[in-house]
Amino acid sequence: MAEEEYPGALGTSASLALRLGQALFSITSLLFMCFHVQFYSYTSFCFLVTIMGLVIPWSLTLAVVDAFSIFVKRPPRQVAIMSVVAVGDWVLSFLSLAAACSAASVTDILITSGHSNVNLCAGKICMRYQLSAAMAFLSWCLSLASSLCNLWVLPSL
């Protein structure tokens, strides 16, 4: 089948845009989380930092593959490569969703507990945690789109 029939698959400009978006949102999420040095006090925040730390090199590596494929006008269509990319995308997609949801829920608990006598989330720290979780969720959205596009290509190989 022709290349134009698979928008968003590995080796296309749409895939390059998805990968760069994933990396951008993951980097932003990581930066918002690391502005406050005590994020390691909560396991879900450590989980978010770890997963975003995995998504960044994955996305940037595949963005380089996309850019090279666009430059040479020959997308990679080997079954083994596409299988690894599809499985990697699915795993990181689910882990990104889990990390974003856990960080958002802990942030919500910290904000809610702030109405009692104990203030667990002082100043703009909770806003940074919320922004970090939101950026992780946006990264997940792009990761899901990318994984669905690559999964769509897999049966045609």
Side-chain angles (χ1 to χ4, degrees), residues 40-85:
Y40 52 83
S41 299
Y42 300 97
T43 305
S44 65
F45 294 157
C46 292
F47 181 54
L48 178 71
V49 168
T50 302
I51 297 305
M52 292 299 110
L54 291 173
V55 170
I56 292 167
W58 175 263
S59 298
L60 290 177
T61 301
L62 290 177
V64 169
V65 170
D66 286 331
F68 179 75
S69 297
I70 292 168
F71 181 69
V72 297
K73 295 182 181 7
R74 185 162 183 243
R77 291 290 183 249
Q78 293 83 14
V79 177
I81 293 173
M82 293 304 293
S83 297
V84 168
V85 170

Side-chain angles (χ1 to χ4, degrees), residues 92-94 96-98 100 135-145:
L92 284 177
S93 177
F94 283 122
S96 296
L97 178 62
M135 293 298 121
F137 181 74
L138 291 173
S139 175
W140 168 74
C141 291
L142 294 177
S143 179
L144 180 66

Side-chain angles (χ1 to χ4, degrees), residues 119-138:
N119 190 2
L120 296 175
C121 205
K124 296 183 179 184
I125 295 169
C126 273
M127 185 177 72
R128 290 180 186 157
Y129 291 157
Q130 285 177 325
L131 288 171
S132 179
M135 293 298 121
F137 181 74
L138 291 173

Side-chain angles (χ1 to χ4, degrees), residues 15-62:
S15 177
L16 178 62
L18 286 170
R19 299 294 177 185
L20 291 176
Q22 289 171 25
L24 179 71
F25 286 130
S26 297
I27 289 168
T28 307
S29 174
L30 200 58
L31 288 176
F32 276 125
M33 187 58 70
C34 291
F35 276 147
H36 181 58
V37 294
Q38 292 183 353
F39 74 88
Y40 52 83
S41 299
Y42 300 97
T43 305
S44 65
F45 294 157
C46 292
F47 181 54
L48 178 71
V49 168
T50 302
I51 297 305
M52 292 299 110
L54 291 173
V55 170
I56 292 167
W58 175 263
S59 298
L60 290 177
T61 301
L62 290 177

